[in-house]
Amino acid sequence: MDETVAEYIRRTVLKIPRDEIKTVLEKWGFLSEAQLQTLNFHQIKDSISHDVVQLCEENSADIKQAAVLDIIYNHIYQNKRMWSVYQMKKSGEELEYFDITDFKKKFKGRLRSALKNVTITFKEYEDNAIWIRVAWGTPYKKPNQYKPSYVVYHSQTPFVFISASVLKSNLPLLCQALIVASNYHDIREMELRSHSLNSLKDIVFKRYSQNFQTYYAKPLQGGNVESESADIRIVQENRSEKERIHRLNWEVFGGGPQPKLEFAQYRLETMLKSDPKMGVLDKKEPFRCLVKFSSPHLLESLKSLAPAGVADAPVSPLLTCIPHKARNYFKIREKKGLFPESFVSP
C-alpha cells in the first residue's frame, strides 16, 4: 500500500470520535468482521489508527478505498462542512430516465478531458443521493487528497449541494461536469449557504412549509398576575400587542423549528424617482444593490426580531420570504434579469 494512502487513512480515522470508529469502519465495509474483532477500540486513537492502517495494508488498500472512507466520514459528520446550493435548468420540461452508470461515465469523462490528475469517487445512498468526492491535481502534480470538493446530487431533481475545495479555481470545471452528466444546460448558485445540509434540503425540496395568513392565535395564557395598583388599561394594551406579534409571527414562520440557514444574499433593483426640475436623475436606469445576511441561524434570528422588539410586526416580506424565493430561484431571476455570471453548457 502506498505511503500517502496509509497516511490519509490514518488521518481520517483520527478525525472520528473514538466511540464511533468501529461504527464508521463497519459502514466502510473494507475490513472483514474478523479483522474488526482484532482491533482494540479502547486504546488511544493514535494506536487505533496505526492498527487500522496495518489491516488495510493486508488488504492492499488504494486511494479509491481511502476516498470512500472519507465520503462516509463526511456523510456522517456533514455539518462540519459549509454547503452551497446550486440549481440546474433544462432547455425544456422533458423528463428523462436517470441512468447512474451513464451519469458517472459522463462526469468522469468531462472532468478528465480537462484535467488528467484528478481522483473521482462516487457513493450512492438510499435517499437517491449520489455523493461525489473530487480531489484536484494539476498537470504536473498528483491530486491533493486533503483539499477535495464534495457534491451531493439527488437524481431526478435540479438541485446540487456543493462543499467546494479551497482550490476554488476548479469550481467551473465541477459545474460543467455536473450539467453534462445530468443532461442539463445551465447551473447557477442560489446564494444560500449553511453547515446544515439537511436544512438546505428542507428548503429546496419543500419539506419545510411556512404558514401564510392562515393562523389566528388564541389569547396567550399565563403571565396575567398584576398588582392591584397597576393600570389595567396599559396591561391590556401590552397583552394585546404581545398577542398580535405572536399571531403575526406564527402566520409567517409557523410554529415549528426553522431550517438552519447561515447565509442568504439579495440582488435588489428599483427605480428611483426625483423632481425633473432638479435634474438629479437624467438617465432612467435602475438602482442596484447587493444585500448579504449571515447568522449562525438566520431564519430563527429573523423570527425573533419582532418578539424582541427589534423590528415591527410583521417582519418585512423581503426577509421572511427567503425559503419561498429560494424554491423559485430561476423563475425570479429570469423575470428580474438579475442573474450573476453562470456556467452554461456548450
Side-chain angles (χ1 to χ4, degrees), residues 61-72:
D62 58 21
I63 192 58
K64 291 184 178 180
Q65 281 81 33
V68 171
L69 176 60
D70 183 56
I71 290 179
I72 293 171

Side-chain angles (χ1 to χ4, degrees), residues 32-43:
S32 67
E33 184 64 31
Q35 288 176 314
L36 289 176
Q37 290 178 358
T38 65
L39 293 172
N40 178 11
F41 293 102
H42 298 289
Q43 59 185 329

